[in-house]
mmCIF file of all heavy atoms in Angstrom:
data_model
loop_
_atom_site.group_PDB
_atom_site.id
_atom_site.type_symbol
_atom_site.label_atom_id
_atom_site.label_comp_id
_atom_site.label_asym_id
_atom_site.label_seq_id
_atom_site.Cartn_x
_atom_site.Cartn_y
_atom_site.Cartn_z
ATOM 1 N N GLY A 545 96.580 100.744 107.461
ATOM 2 C CA GLY A 545 97.693 101.628 107.753
ATOM 3 C C GLY A 545 98.559 102.010 106.574
ATOM 4 O O GLY A 545 99.486 102.806 106.724
ATOM 5 N N ALA A 546 98.287 101.468 105.383
ATOM 6 C CA ALA A 546 99.149 101.719 104.232
ATOM 7 C C ALA A 546 98.764 103.011 103.519
ATOM 8 O O ALA A 546 97.647 103.508 103.645
ATOM 9 C CB ALA A 546 99.080 100.548 103.255
ATOM 10 N N ARG A 547 99.715 103.527 102.748
ATOM 11 C CA ARG A 547 99.487 104.637 101.841
ATOM 12 C C ARG A 547 99.569 104.105 100.407
ATOM 13 O O ARG A 547 100.266 103.124 100.131
ATOM 14 C CB ARG A 547 100.521 105.743 102.049
ATOM 15 C CG ARG A 547 100.297 106.560 103.305
ATOM 16 C CD ARG A 547 99.012 107.340 103.201
ATOM 17 N NE ARG A 547 98.778 108.181 104.360
ATOM 18 C CZ ARG A 547 97.666 108.878 104.544
ATOM 19 N NH1 ARG A 547 96.691 108.820 103.648
ATOM 20 N NH2 ARG A 547 97.520 109.616 105.614
ATOM 21 N N TYR A 548 98.885 104.797 99.479
ATOM 22 C CA TYR A 548 98.756 104.284 98.128
ATOM 23 C C TYR A 548 99.123 105.354 97.109
ATOM 24 O O TYR A 548 98.980 106.556 97.349
ATOM 25 C CB TYR A 548 97.315 103.811 97.867
ATOM 26 C CG TYR A 548 96.876 102.708 98.792
ATOM 27 C CD1 TYR A 548 96.335 102.999 100.046
ATOM 28 C CD2 TYR A 548 97.010 101.372 98.429
ATOM 29 C CE1 TYR A 548 95.934 101.991 100.903
ATOM 30 C CE2 TYR A 548 96.611 100.353 99.280
ATOM 31 C CZ TYR A 548 96.073 100.673 100.511
ATOM 32 O OH TYR A 548 95.679 99.676 101.347
ATOM 33 N N ARG A 549 99.560 104.877 95.946
ATOM 34 C CA ARG A 549 99.869 105.758 94.819
ATOM 35 C C ARG A 549 99.221 105.175 93.573
ATOM 36 O O ARG A 549 99.329 103.971 93.305
ATOM 37 C CB ARG A 549 101.374 105.887 94.631
ATOM 38 C CG ARG A 549 101.800 106.683 93.391
ATOM 39 C CD ARG A 549 103.284 106.928 93.365
ATOM 40 N NE ARG A 549 103.662 107.921 94.371
ATOM 41 C CZ ARG A 549 103.673 109.234 94.160
ATOM 42 N NH1 ARG A 549 103.323 109.716 92.969
ATOM 43 N NH2 ARG A 549 104.039 110.059 95.109
ATOM 44 N N ALA A 550 98.539 106.040 92.817
ATOM 45 C CA ALA A 550 97.890 105.631 91.572
ATOM 46 C C ALA A 550 98.654 106.192 90.389
ATOM 47 O O ALA A 550 99.202 107.302 90.447
ATOM 48 C CB ALA A 550 96.449 106.114 91.543
ATOM 49 N N SER A 551 98.693 105.420 89.305
ATOM 50 C CA SER A 551 99.348 105.868 88.080
ATOM 51 C C SER A 551 98.436 105.567 86.903
ATOM 52 O O SER A 551 97.781 104.519 86.859
ATOM 53 C CB SER A 551 100.698 105.179 87.903
ATOM 54 O OG SER A 551 100.541 103.778 87.871
ATOM 55 N N VAL A 552 98.398 106.491 85.943
ATOM 56 C CA VAL A 552 97.533 106.320 84.783
ATOM 57 C C VAL A 552 98.265 106.773 83.530
ATOM 58 O O VAL A 552 99.146 107.643 83.580
ATOM 59 C CB VAL A 552 96.216 107.114 84.918
ATOM 60 C CG1 VAL A 552 95.406 106.647 86.115
ATOM 61 C CG2 VAL A 552 96.483 108.610 85.011
ATOM 62 N N GLN A 553 97.910 106.149 82.415
ATOM 63 C CA GLN A 553 98.224 106.662 81.087
ATOM 64 C C GLN A 553 96.887 107.047 80.477
ATOM 65 O O GLN A 553 96.038 106.185 80.214
ATOM 66 C CB GLN A 553 98.910 105.608 80.228
ATOM 67 C CG GLN A 553 100.386 105.433 80.505
ATOM 68 C CD GLN A 553 101.026 104.479 79.518
ATOM 69 O OE1 GLN A 553 100.925 103.260 79.660
ATOM 70 N NE2 GLN A 553 101.679 105.025 78.511
ATOM 71 N N VAL A 554 96.678 108.335 80.253
ATOM 72 C CA VAL A 554 95.358 108.833 79.939
ATOM 73 C C VAL A 554 95.432 109.821 78.780
ATOM 74 O O VAL A 554 96.448 110.502 78.583
ATOM 75 C CB VAL A 554 94.714 109.483 81.188
ATOM 76 C CG1 VAL A 554 95.537 110.667 81.687
ATOM 77 C CG2 VAL A 554 93.276 109.875 80.927
ATOM 78 N N ARG A 555 94.317 109.891 78.037
ATOM 79 C CA ARG A 555 94.201 110.831 76.930
ATOM 80 C C ARG A 555 92.837 111.492 76.991
ATOM 81 O O ARG A 555 91.815 110.818 77.195
ATOM 82 C CB ARG A 555 94.357 110.087 75.601
ATOM 83 C CG ARG A 555 94.165 110.950 74.351
ATOM 84 C CD ARG A 555 94.284 110.095 73.094
ATOM 85 N NE ARG A 555 93.219 109.089 73.023
ATOM 86 C CZ ARG A 555 93.198 108.093 72.141
ATOM 87 N NH1 ARG A 555 94.191 107.944 71.284
ATOM 88 N NH2 ARG A 555 92.202 107.234 72.133
ATOM 89 N N VAL A 556 92.784 112.810 76.837
ATOM 90 C CA VAL A 556 91.529 113.557 76.788
ATOM 91 C C VAL A 556 91.574 114.501 75.594
ATOM 92 O O VAL A 556 92.654 114.897 75.129
ATOM 93 C CB VAL A 556 91.282 114.355 78.091
ATOM 94 C CG1 VAL A 556 91.120 113.426 79.285
ATOM 95 C CG2 VAL A 556 92.414 115.344 78.345
ATOM 96 N N ASP A 557 90.401 114.850 75.077
ATOM 97 C CA ASP A 557 90.346 115.795 73.967
ATOM 98 C C ASP A 557 89.732 117.124 74.377
ATOM 99 O O ASP A 557 89.474 117.986 73.533
ATOM 100 C CB ASP A 557 89.576 115.194 72.786
ATOM 101 C CG ASP A 557 88.201 114.697 73.183
ATOM 102 O OD1 ASP A 557 87.715 115.064 74.278
ATOM 103 O OD2 ASP A 557 87.605 113.924 72.412
ATOM 104 N N ALA A 558 89.478 117.298 75.685
ATOM 105 C CA ALA A 558 88.963 118.558 76.224
ATOM 106 C C ALA A 558 89.295 118.571 77.711
ATOM 107 O O ALA A 558 89.553 117.513 78.312
ATOM 108 C CB ALA A 558 87.455 118.667 75.997
ATOM 109 N N PRO A 559 89.306 119.732 78.338
ATOM 110 C CA PRO A 559 89.552 119.765 79.785
ATOM 111 C C PRO A 559 88.555 118.872 80.531
ATOM 112 O O PRO A 559 87.341 118.998 80.368
ATOM 113 C CB PRO A 559 89.362 121.243 80.132
ATOM 114 C CG PRO A 559 89.685 121.961 78.877
ATOM 115 C CD PRO A 559 89.192 121.089 77.763
ATOM 116 N N THR A 560 89.087 117.970 81.330
ATOM 117 C CA THR A 560 88.257 116.943 81.974
ATOM 118 C C THR A 560 88.753 116.697 83.388
ATOM 119 O O THR A 560 89.958 116.585 83.620
ATOM 120 C CB THR A 560 88.313 115.621 81.178
ATOM 121 O OG1 THR A 560 87.922 115.864 79.826
ATOM 122 C CG2 THR A 560 87.401 114.569 81.794
ATOM 123 N N GLY A 561 87.810 116.607 84.311
ATOM 124 C CA GLY A 561 88.146 116.264 85.684
ATOM 125 C C GLY A 561 87.990 114.773 85.930
ATOM 126 O O GLY A 561 86.937 114.191 85.643
ATOM 127 N N VAL A 562 89.037 114.132 86.434
ATOM 128 C CA VAL A 562 89.021 112.702 86.743
ATOM 129 C C VAL A 562 89.308 112.532 88.224
ATOM 130 O O VAL A 562 90.225 113.157 88.770
ATOM 131 C CB VAL A 562 90.062 111.941 85.899
ATOM 132 C CG1 VAL A 562 90.184 110.488 86.371
ATOM 133 C CG2 VAL A 562 89.686 111.979 84.426
ATOM 134 N N TYR A 563 88.526 111.688 88.856
ATOM 135 C CA TYR A 563 88.649 111.461 90.293
ATOM 136 C C TYR A 563 89.043 110.012 90.524
ATOM 137 O O TYR A 563 88.390 109.079 90.026
ATOM 138 C CB TYR A 563 87.312 111.767 90.961
ATOM 139 C CG TYR A 563 87.385 112.051 92.446
ATOM 140 C CD1 TYR A 563 88.131 113.116 92.933
ATOM 141 C CD2 TYR A 563 86.692 111.258 93.358
ATOM 142 C CE1 TYR A 563 88.182 113.400 94.281
ATOM 143 C CE2 TYR A 563 86.744 111.525 94.717
ATOM 144 C CZ TYR A 563 87.485 112.596 95.172
ATOM 145 O OH TYR A 563 87.541 112.873 96.520
ATOM 146 N N LEU A 564 90.118 109.796 91.255
ATOM 147 C CA LEU A 564 90.577 108.461 91.633
ATOM 148 C C LEU A 564 90.334 108.273 93.120
ATOM 149 O O LEU A 564 90.663 109.159 93.921
ATOM 150 C CB LEU A 564 92.062 108.291 91.312
ATOM 151 C CG LEU A 564 92.494 108.608 89.882
ATOM 152 C CD1 LEU A 564 94.008 108.472 89.743
ATOM 153 C CD2 LEU A 564 91.777 107.715 88.880
ATOM 154 N N GLN A 565 89.778 107.141 93.485
ATOM 155 C CA GLN A 565 89.385 106.949 94.879
ATOM 156 C C GLN A 565 89.570 105.488 95.276
ATOM 157 O O GLN A 565 89.221 104.575 94.526
ATOM 158 C CB GLN A 565 87.919 107.364 95.066
ATOM 159 C CG GLN A 565 87.428 107.345 96.499
ATOM 160 C CD GLN A 565 85.977 107.801 96.600
ATOM 161 O OE1 GLN A 565 85.076 107.144 96.118
ATOM 162 N NE2 GLN A 565 85.767 108.968 97.215
ATOM 163 N N LEU A 566 90.110 105.274 96.440
ATOM 164 C CA LEU A 566 90.220 103.942 97.036
ATOM 165 C C LEU A 566 89.516 103.980 98.376
ATOM 166 O O LEU A 566 89.866 104.783 99.243
ATOM 167 C CB LEU A 566 91.681 103.536 97.210
ATOM 168 C CG LEU A 566 91.916 102.188 97.899
ATOM 169 C CD1 LEU A 566 91.338 101.041 97.077
ATOM 170 C CD2 LEU A 566 93.409 101.959 98.143
ATOM 171 N N CYS A 567 88.498 103.128 98.513
ATOM 172 C CA CYS A 567 87.662 103.155 99.722
ATOM 173 C C CYS A 567 87.528 101.765 100.315
ATOM 174 O O CYS A 567 87.606 100.750 99.614
ATOM 175 C CB CYS A 567 86.252 103.675 99.403
ATOM 176 S SG CYS A 567 86.166 105.381 98.869
ATOM 177 N N GLU A 568 87.294 101.738 101.608
ATOM 178 C CA GLU A 568 86.734 100.549 102.246
ATOM 179 C C GLU A 568 85.244 100.582 101.924
ATOM 180 O O GLU A 568 84.512 101.459 102.386
ATOM 181 C CB GLU A 568 86.976 100.587 103.745
ATOM 182 C CG GLU A 568 88.441 100.470 104.131
ATOM 183 C CD GLU A 568 88.663 100.599 105.622
ATOM 184 O OE1 GLU A 568 88.023 101.462 106.248
ATOM 185 O OE2 GLU A 568 89.484 99.850 106.167
ATOM 186 N N ARG A 569 84.788 99.617 101.113
ATOM 187 C CA ARG A 569 83.427 99.715 100.568
ATOM 188 C C ARG A 569 82.908 98.335 100.220
ATOM 189 O O ARG A 569 83.588 97.561 99.523
ATOM 190 C CB ARG A 569 83.448 100.623 99.335
ATOM 191 C CG ARG A 569 82.129 100.828 98.628
ATOM 192 C CD ARG A 569 82.302 101.887 97.554
ATOM 193 N NE ARG A 569 81.176 101.949 96.644
ATOM 194 C CZ ARG A 569 81.100 102.771 95.599
ATOM 195 N NH1 ARG A 569 82.110 103.591 95.347
ATOM 196 N NH2 ARG A 569 80.047 102.769 94.807
ATOM 197 N N HIS A 570 81.717 98.031 100.686
ATOM 198 C CA HIS A 570 81.095 96.749 100.365
ATOM 199 C C HIS A 570 80.510 96.788 98.960
ATOM 200 O O HIS A 570 80.848 95.964 98.114
ATOM 201 C CB HIS A 570 80.005 96.420 101.383
ATOM 202 C CG HIS A 570 79.350 95.093 101.167
ATOM 203 N ND1 HIS A 570 79.949 93.908 101.511
ATOM 204 C CD2 HIS A 570 78.156 94.762 100.613
ATOM 205 C CE1 HIS A 570 79.142 92.899 101.193
ATOM 206 N NE2 HIS A 570 78.053 93.391 100.634
ATOM 207 N N LEU A 571 79.615 97.732 98.690
ATOM 208 C CA LEU A 571 79.036 97.877 97.360
ATOM 209 C C LEU A 571 78.639 99.320 97.069
ATOM 210 O O LEU A 571 79.171 99.949 96.165
ATOM 211 C CB LEU A 571 77.823 96.952 97.196
ATOM 212 C CG LEU A 571 77.197 96.936 95.802
ATOM 213 C CD1 LEU A 571 78.198 96.459 94.764
ATOM 214 C CD2 LEU A 571 75.943 96.059 95.765
ATOM 215 N N LEU A 572 77.700 99.851 97.855
ATOM 216 C CA LEU A 572 77.141 101.166 97.536
ATOM 217 C C LEU A 572 77.685 102.297 98.396
ATOM 218 O O LEU A 572 77.732 103.446 97.949
ATOM 219 C CB LEU A 572 75.608 101.129 97.689
ATOM 220 C CG LEU A 572 74.849 100.190 96.748
ATOM 221 C CD1 LEU A 572 73.361 100.215 97.066
ATOM 222 C CD2 LEU A 572 75.081 100.584 95.296
ATOM 223 N N TYR A 573 78.070 101.994 99.636
ATOM 224 C CA TYR A 573 78.378 103.054 100.591
ATOM 225 C C TYR A 573 79.848 103.003 101.006
ATOM 226 O O TYR A 573 80.293 102.030 101.595
ATOM 227 C CB TYR A 573 77.491 102.917 101.835
ATOM 228 C CG TYR A 573 76.021 102.846 101.508
ATOM 229 C CD1 TYR A 573 75.363 101.617 101.460
ATOM 230 C CD2 TYR A 573 75.290 104.000 101.240
ATOM 231 C CE1 TYR A 573 74.017 101.538 101.163
ATOM 232 C CE2 TYR A 573 73.948 103.930 100.939
ATOM 233 C CZ TYR A 573 73.316 102.700 100.892
ATOM 234 O OH TYR A 573 71.983 102.629 100.593
ATOM 235 N N PRO A 574 80.616 104.061 100.722
ATOM 236 C CA PRO A 574 82.023 104.084 101.127
ATOM 237 C C PRO A 574 82.175 104.412 102.602
ATOM 238 O O PRO A 574 81.369 105.137 103.190
ATOM 239 C CB PRO A 574 82.614 105.196 100.251
ATOM 240 C CG PRO A 574 81.465 106.117 99.988
ATOM 241 C CD PRO A 574 80.241 105.245 99.929
ATOM 242 N N ALA A 575 83.225 103.862 103.197
ATOM 243 C CA ALA A 575 83.589 104.216 104.577
ATOM 244 C C ALA A 575 84.795 105.153 104.490
ATOM 245 O O ALA A 575 84.705 106.261 103.998
ATOM 246 C CB ALA A 575 83.870 102.958 105.385
ATOM 247 N N ARG A 576 85.957 104.723 104.920
ATOM 248 C CA ARG A 576 87.165 105.548 104.798
ATOM 249 C C ARG A 576 87.661 105.512 103.358
ATOM 250 O O ARG A 576 87.648 104.468 102.721
ATOM 251 C CB ARG A 576 88.250 105.047 105.749
ATOM 252 C CG ARG A 576 87.928 105.281 107.214
ATOM 253 C CD ARG A 576 88.943 104.612 108.116
ATOM 254 N NE ARG A 576 88.682 104.949 109.503
ATOM 255 C CZ ARG A 576 89.359 105.850 110.191
ATOM 256 N NH1 ARG A 576 90.358 106.504 109.628
ATOM 257 N NH2 ARG A 576 89.057 106.104 111.453
ATOM 258 N N CYS A 577 88.123 106.674 102.873
ATOM 259 C CA CYS A 577 88.566 106.786 101.490
ATOM 260 C C CYS A 577 89.867 107.571 101.395
ATOM 261 O O CYS A 577 90.123 108.477 102.196
ATOM 262 C CB CYS A 577 87.503 107.494 100.628
ATOM 263 S SG CYS A 577 85.952 106.585 100.447
ATOM 264 N N GLN A 578 90.663 107.210 100.392
ATOM 265 C CA GLN A 578 91.827 107.998 99.988
ATOM 266 C C GLN A 578 91.615 108.397 98.527
ATOM 267 O O GLN A 578 91.198 107.562 97.710
ATOM 268 C CB GLN A 578 93.118 107.200 100.163
ATOM 269 C CG GLN A 578 93.418 106.847 101.616
ATOM 270 C CD GLN A 578 94.740 106.125 101.785
ATOM 271 O OE1 GLN A 578 95.627 106.226 100.939
ATOM 272 N NE2 GLN A 578 94.879 105.388 102.890
ATOM 273 N N ASN A 579 91.891 109.672 98.187
ATOM 274 C CA ASN A 579 91.460 110.224 96.916
ATOM 275 C C ASN A 579 92.575 110.998 96.230
ATOM 276 O O ASN A 579 93.553 111.437 96.855
ATOM 277 C CB ASN A 579 90.276 111.177 97.125
ATOM 278 C CG ASN A 579 89.278 110.654 98.127
ATOM 279 O OD1 ASN A 579 88.514 109.764 97.815
ATOM 280 N ND2 ASN A 579 89.272 111.200 99.341
ATOM 281 N N ALA A 580 92.356 111.188 94.930
ATOM 282 C CA ALA A 580 93.211 112.087 94.146
ATOM 283 C C ALA A 580 92.369 112.655 93.016
ATOM 284 O O ALA A 580 91.586 111.928 92.382
ATOM 285 C CB ALA A 580 94.426 111.362 93.591
ATOM 286 N N TYR A 581 92.533 113.956 92.762
ATOM 287 C CA TYR A 581 91.799 114.615 91.678
ATOM 288 C C TYR A 581 92.779 115.025 90.589
ATOM 289 O O TYR A 581 93.827 115.625 90.865
ATOM 290 C CB TYR A 581 91.056 115.847 92.199
ATOM 291 C CG TYR A 581 90.369 116.644 91.111
ATOM 292 C CD1 TYR A 581 89.192 116.178 90.529
ATOM 293 C CD2 TYR A 581 90.913 117.841 90.653
ATOM 294 C CE1 TYR A 581 88.563 116.884 89.520
ATOM 295 C CE2 TYR A 581 90.289 118.562 89.640
ATOM 296 C CZ TYR A 581 89.118 118.080 89.075
ATOM 297 O OH TYR A 581 88.501 118.775 88.068
ATOM 298 N N LEU A 582 92.437 114.699 89.336
ATOM 299 C CA LEU A 582 93.273 115.044 88.198
ATOM 300 C C LEU A 582 92.526 116.045 87.319
ATOM 301 O O LEU A 582 91.448 115.729 86.792
ATOM 302 C CB LEU A 582 93.619 113.802 87.370
ATOM 303 C CG LEU A 582 94.242 112.609 88.107
ATOM 304 C CD1 LEU A 582 94.491 111.463 87.130
ATOM 305 C CD2 LEU A 582 95.519 113.013 88.803
ATOM 306 N N ALA A 583 93.072 117.241 87.168
ATOM 307 C CA ALA A 583 92.519 118.242 86.247
ATOM 308 C C ALA A 583 93.261 118.102 84.928
ATOM 309 O O ALA A 583 94.353 118.654 84.744
ATOM 310 C CB ALA A 583 92.663 119.638 86.832
ATOM 311 N N LEU A 584 92.699 117.346 84.017
ATOM 312 C CA LEU A 584 93.387 116.986 82.784
ATOM 313 C C LEU A 584 93.080 117.968 81.660
ATOM 314 O O LEU A 584 91.953 118.468 81.546
ATOM 315 C CB LEU A 584 92.987 115.570 82.349
ATOM 316 C CG LEU A 584 93.262 114.451 83.353
ATOM 317 C CD1 LEU A 584 92.734 113.126 82.823
ATOM 318 C CD2 LEU A 584 94.747 114.348 83.647
ATOM 319 N N LYS A 585 94.083 118.201 80.831
ATOM 320 C CA LYS A 585 93.933 119.020 79.633
ATOM 321 C C LYS A 585 94.587 118.284 78.466
ATOM 322 O O LYS A 585 95.528 117.508 78.661
ATOM 323 C CB LYS A 585 94.588 120.386 79.818
ATOM 324 C CG LYS A 585 93.922 121.247 80.894
ATOM 325 C CD LYS A 585 94.624 122.600 81.005
ATOM 326 C CE LYS A 585 93.952 123.457 82.078
ATOM 327 N NZ LYS A 585 94.624 124.786 82.214
ATOM 328 N N PRO A 586 94.110 118.523 77.243
ATOM 329 C CA PRO A 586 94.738 117.872 76.090
ATOM 330 C C PRO A 586 96.192 118.310 75.940
ATOM 331 O O PRO A 586 96.568 119.418 76.338
ATOM 332 C CB PRO A 586 93.890 118.342 74.906
ATOM 333 C CG PRO A 586 92.610 118.843 75.500
ATOM 334 C CD PRO A 586 92.948 119.347 76.870
ATOM 335 N N VAL A 587 96.999 117.422 75.372
ATOM 336 C CA VAL A 587 98.395 117.765 75.095
ATOM 337 C C VAL A 587 98.426 118.878 74.049
ATOM 338 O O VAL A 587 97.794 118.773 72.984
ATOM 339 C CB VAL A 587 99.161 116.526 74.607
ATOM 340 C CG1 VAL A 587 100.573 116.903 74.183
ATOM 341 C CG2 VAL A 587 99.190 115.470 75.705
ATOM 342 N N ALA A 588 99.148 119.958 74.353
ATOM 343 C CA ALA A 588 99.131 121.139 73.483
ATOM 344 C C ALA A 588 99.883 120.916 72.183
ATOM 345 O O ALA A 588 99.499 121.421 71.121
ATOM 346 C CB ALA A 588 99.710 122.340 74.236
ATOM 347 N N ASP A 589 100.971 120.177 72.222
ATOM 348 C CA ASP A 589 101.812 119.984 71.041
ATOM 349 C C ASP A 589 101.207 118.900 70.141
ATOM 350 O O ASP A 589 101.159 117.730 70.522
ATOM 351 C CB ASP A 589 103.220 119.585 71.473
ATOM 352 C CG ASP A 589 104.180 119.475 70.291
ATOM 353 O OD1 ASP A 589 103.741 119.720 69.145
ATOM 354 O OD2 ASP A 589 105.359 119.156 70.528
ATOM 355 N N PRO A 590 100.722 119.247 68.959
ATOM 356 C CA PRO A 590 100.103 118.231 68.089
ATOM 357 C C PRO A 590 101.085 117.168 67.614
ATOM 358 O O PRO A 590 100.679 116.082 67.211
ATOM 359 C CB PRO A 590 99.562 119.062 66.915
ATOM 360 C CG PRO A 590 100.374 120.314 66.916
ATOM 361 C CD PRO A 590 100.725 120.583 68.345
#
């Protein structure tokens, strides 16, 4: 019944898609999942 929040400190050198996922999962097969998609880009200011 809980809700979740993910936090990251991340660095990329090109546009990159990162997927964060929390699932009820034994090993290979996920059941219920909560997800977040991050469309990351490099920091513009050198």
Side-chain angles (χ1 to χ4, degrees):
R547 286 294 182 185
Y548 300 86
R549 174 172 288 272
S551 58
V552 299
Q553 280 186 280
V554 61
R555 176 182 64 190
V556 296
D557 54 15
T560 304
V562 172
Y563 200 61
L564 307 177
Q565 186 179 66
L566 177 63
C567 295
E568 293 176 319
R569 179 173 168 182
H570 182 77
L571 185 61
L572 297 177
Y573 307 99
R576 291 173 175 258
C577 295
Q578 296 183 22
N579 319 284
Y581 175 75
L582 307 179
L584 302 176
K585 295 181 180 180
V587 174
D589 185 0

